[in-house]
Amino acid sequence: MTESHPPRISKAVIPAAGLGTRFLPATKATPKEMLPVVDKPAIQYVVEEAASAGLDDVLMITGRNKRPLEDHFDRNYELESALLKKGDEARLAKVQESSDLATMHYVRQGDPKGLGHAVLCAAPHVGNEPFAVLLGDDLIDPRDPLLARMVDVQERHGGSVIALMEVAPEQIHLYGCAAVKPTDDSDVVEVTGLVEKPDAADAPSNYAIIGRYVLDPHVFDILRKTEPGRGGEIQLTDALQQLAARYQSAADAEGKVGGPVHGVVFKGRRYDTGDRGDYLRAIVRLACEREDLGPDFQAWLRSYVSEEM
Ligand code: G1P
């Protein structure tokens, strides 16, 4: 994509209303999205990813106790002037980085009725254009630009695009799972069906949805009618299943409204911060890869593992 053709998709939606109960007591008064991954809050990686894919209009779906998210992406004049006075430009740049990333918007979810309901809260802001959804528990390494590829695929095929990753069969019950058929592009599949968190025995494949979506706005009409599904929640996966099924079975263009659902099969680096074990693994992996911290940290880690374990 050249600079003279700005991407059609400019809006990203980030659901961030969850209670973060898996991280209590850390999340009693601090949103889980603000927990640091090395030295940046997890949510900043996600906003950076959206911005670097050209999506600089970010809507966060928040809830009670999420004020720190708004503060983090806003200016902090007191801190900035203190750092300026000290001449600490490096830290000043770090403070300003998060407020310069994107134009931020916030809407509260009210009742936490599930991911599908959170996405539906974005409808008035998004309007009638395709948009991205990024889930904060999945961090995608910036060296493996998944979202930009998904935007390309959406521009080529229309409809919606989800990110898929092959997982071990015993892991599939943790994810939305897609039935797929191949396309001419080796990293793109057509999605023929979807099921939220199936038992391994019922899973149509080992393709798991990882938390990146580029969605056609027709998904809102479907979400408005989607009944609570797994866990009593309104599931985004169920709405996408309906979009895919409608497209697959439609005989004419009218029936195909909303377009197909494609999947981009991701083989890059993904860090899960969704539970405590995965969160710790993500921090260790990212710290090892950091130029400033990595060499010392790796040396310590090697000796810790060989001496203490
Ligand atoms: C959500 C989605 C699921 C997807 C997962 C990816 O589940 O409902 O389809 O596979 O995110 O992280 P959650 O992990 O929020 O329960």
Side-chain angles (χ1 to χ4, degrees):
M1 195 168 300
T2 61
E3 289 205 347
S4 58
H5 294 92
R8 249 188 317 145
I9 300 169
S10 63
K11 290 179 182 164
V13 174
I14 304 182
L19 295 175
T21 49
R22 282 184 278 188
F23 286 87
L24 283 169
T27 48
K28 183 179 173 188
T30 302
K32 76 165 175 176
E33 294 80 9
M34 288 303 296
L35 297 181
V37 175
V38 188
D39 52 6
K40 252 194 292 195
I43 194 75
Q44 188 174 332
Y45 291 85
V46 182
V47 175
E48 285 173 356
E49 183 191 338
S52 66
L55 314 180
D56 56 8
D57 177 310
V58 173
L59 175 70
M60 261 185 212
I61 315 295
T62 67
R64 283 174 291 282
N65 302 326
K66 300 287 181 165
R67 272 289 302 279
L69 291 174
E70 298 190 31
D71 291 341
H72 184 72
F73 292 101
D74 197 357
R75 303 291 297 270
N76 182 334
Y77 289 107
E78 203 181 2
L79 188 53
E80 287 177 44
S81 74
L83 291 167
L84 199 62
K85 247 190 227 152
K86 278 200 210 163
D88 192 341
E89 282 174 21
R91 290 202 174 91
L92 179 63
K94 282 189 179 170
V95 168
Q96 290 173 336
E97 221 175 11
S98 54
S99 53
D100 290 344
L101 277 173
T103 307
M104 304 297 298
H105 306 269
Y106 301 89
V107 61
R108 286 193 180 206
Q109 189 177 0
D111 291 335
K113 290 195 251 173
L115 176 60
H117 177 250
V119 170
L120 187 53
C121 295
H125 180 82
V126 167
N128 194 25
E129 49 186 276
F131 64 103
V133 174
L134 292 86
L135 306 188
D137 285 349
D138 288 301
L139 302 188
I140 303 294
D141 195 297
R143 292 166 294 183
D144 302 317
L146 169 62
L147 196 56
R149 175 69 179 142
M150 294 172 71
V151 169
D152 282 352
V153 171
Q154 198 282 337
E155 286 181 348
R156 181 152 156 225
H157 295 279
S160 298
V161 179
I162 60 179
L164 297 173
M165 199 165 187
E166 289 192 75
V167 300
E170 61 273 18
Q171 295 283 306
I172 199 72
H173 70 281
L174 300 170
Y175 299 93
C177 174
V180 303
K181 55 184 192 196
T183 71
D184 293 341
D185 284 324
S186 63
D187 66 332
V188 180
V189 290
E190 186 170 346
V191 174
T192 57
L194 286 160
V195 46
E196 178 68 3
K197 302 196 174 120
D199 291 339
D202 304 329
S205 75
N206 66 335
Y207 284 106
I209 306 176
I210 52 173
R212 299 294 179 272
Y213 310 77
V214 177
L215 300 177
D216 182 278
H218 281 95
V219 75
F220 294 131
D221 298 337
I222 295 183
L223 280 169
R224 282 188 194 100
K225 296 181 217 135
T226 301
E227 297 289 330
R230 192 158 182 107
E233 298 191 336
I234 298 172
Q235 296 291 350
L236 181 58
T237 304
D238 293 347
L240 292 172
Q241 152 63 18
Q242 287 193 47
L243 263 183
R246 183 163 87 181
Y247 184 85
Q248 297 285 318
S249 64
D252 53 21
E254 204 182 324
K256 289 188 187 295
V257 66
V261 180
H262 283 88
V264 168
V265 179
F266 184 63
K267 295 203 154 80
R269 285 156 281 198
R270 162 181 173 260
Y271 312 98
D272 188 346
T273 58
D275 70 30
R276 290 173 303 171
D278 289 331
Y279 172 74
L280 291 174
R281 283 183 274 277
I283 292 176
V284 171
R285 284 171 65 184
L286 283 162
C288 284
E289 296 195 2
R290 280 269 295 257
E291 270 175 31
D292 53 348
L293 300 167
D296 279 358
F297 185 64
Q298 282 186 37
W300 171 81
L301 194 58
R302 266 192 213 99
S303 74
Y304 178 72
V305 169
S306 61
E307 285 161 25
E308 306 277 335
M309 306 187 108

